Amino acid sequence: MIFSNMSKTNVRRHVLENRCCKEKEKSSTQSGLSKHLKKIYPIGLQRSSSSLSLSSLSLSLSQNSNDSSLTDQSSTPLEQKISLALSLISPHRERREFPMVVKSVHHQQQQQQKQYQDSGNGELRRCHWVTKNSDKVYISFHDGQWGVPIYDDNQLFELLALSGMLMDYNWTEILKRRDLYREAFLGFDPEIVAKMGDKEINEISSNKAIMLAENRVRCIIDNAKCILKIVREYGSFSSFMWGYVSYKPTINRYKYPRNVPLRTPKAEAISKDLLKHGFRLVGPVIVYSFMQAAGLTIDHLVDCFRYNECVALAERPWRHI
């Protein structure tokens, strides 16, 4: 009887020890899995009476709650949640990283804005020749077009004509009358302008608001005729002009206004070739002003907020229109 009682005691102790060992193993397994999850997805896993213990994944879990492949009815609620979390980590990793990327980009934009802001008044830093006293139309031209690559024939013709007017006026005066020029020369369509005769020339030159001498008007009309010849020979005026720079804008890194040239050897070569093709008002200084305005060369100062933006446009592949 004593032996029997001792045996029963030993058996009961053995059963209790096995049960304790199993509970310890289960606890250590869950603890290890929880630590593993923390390394993969830094969200605390806790037992809770709520339906979801991963609050940050609540939307994802609710959207996939009808997917039977993600759940196991035979497992415990905690194991189901762990299984769901593991299955969602891999395919939706982008959801976790995207906010970090957006935050990083937003931070870079803020840093760039601070970099290109004057320490005094917080305004955007522009090229030094744009001052507080500059006219709004001139500032708008600097911020929106100057240095932006242009590929349209009509727009290139317009900028070439406006650059030629620098013989008599400055950019501000020209830009203030830009809409009048567009109306007078019918959108600077070379085919239409080339057909203008003495009647149109007299109307334009006699318009006091436009303030263009007759010989200047005739120069623009003659250039339109030259452009039509270029189009027949080269396919487009755009491809002809961009061919001078191998279809890629010249990107300069000028720090001070004194570094920006009025003319360059490239502008001189283009000027000579344009003159051979019959163009007028295309001296080296005018040609270089045209190249700057049309984005064939990037001459924004390096600390101007438009510099990086125009460089980014310049580095794109040539987009002929």
Side-chain angles (χ1 to χ4, degrees), residues 19 54 90 123 162 172 225 238 286 295 297:
R19 184 177 300 173
L54 291 178
S90 179
E123 294 182 357
L162 298 182
T172 300
K225 296 177 181 179
S238 177
I286 290 176
T297 181

Side-chain angles (χ1 to χ4, degrees), residues 157-158 160-165 181 184-186 188-190 192-196 201 204 210 212-227 278-281:
F157 176 34
E158 176 184 341
L160 184 62
L162 298 182
S163 299
M165 297 176 192
Y181 297 142
F185 292 100
L186 303 174
F188 287 95
D189 187 332
I192 299 176
V193 176
K195 297 177 182 178
M196 288 184 173
I201 294 174
I204 296 173
I210 294 179
L212 274 184
E214 180 181 334
N215 64 330
R216 303 304 191 204
V217 177
R218 291 186 181 276
C219 286
I220 294 174
I221 294 174
D222 290 343
N223 287 347
K225 296 177 181 179
C226 294
I227 289 176
F279 285 85
R280 303 173 63 183
L281 286 180

